[in-house]
Amino acid sequence: PLCFVGATTAGDPNEVCHIWPYKSFEERATARAGQATDPVVKEFLAYSRSLVLEMTSTLWVPAPFSPLQ
């Protein structure tokens, strides 16, 4: 499930941040592999791919006090 969506107020005004919590790196890899065959995702990418100039993925581990544990 999507945990957070936000836009920047400084720097690149077109930057959007999504945070998707996964229990493990393996769970994320499985989810990403499933997206490659999902017809809804394929339809979305066909439309949106020309709108995305750059995409970066960063994997973070929650801090000990994070509710995402």
Side-chain angles (χ1 to χ4, degrees):
L2 181 62
C3 175
F4 172 84
V5 174
T8 61
T9 58
D12 185 352
N14 298 314
E15 185 174 275
V16 176
C17 175
H18 301 148
I19 297 178
W20 298 82
Y22 294 99
K23 291 181 180 15
S24 66
F25 294 120
E26 292 78 15
E27 182 185 32
R28 180 190 181 275
T30 301
R32 293 283 290 173
Q35 290 175 347
T37 59
D38 185 325
V40 173
V41 173
K42 284 184 173 185
E43 181 181 353
F44 172 75
L45 290 176
Y47 165 76
S48 65
R49 187 162 280 140
S50 66
L51 303 174
V52 177
L53 301 177
E54 179 183 339
M55 183 172 82
T56 303
S57 294
T58 305
L59 303 179
W60 293 356
V61 176
F65 54 83
S66 171
L68 296 178
Q69 292 293 332

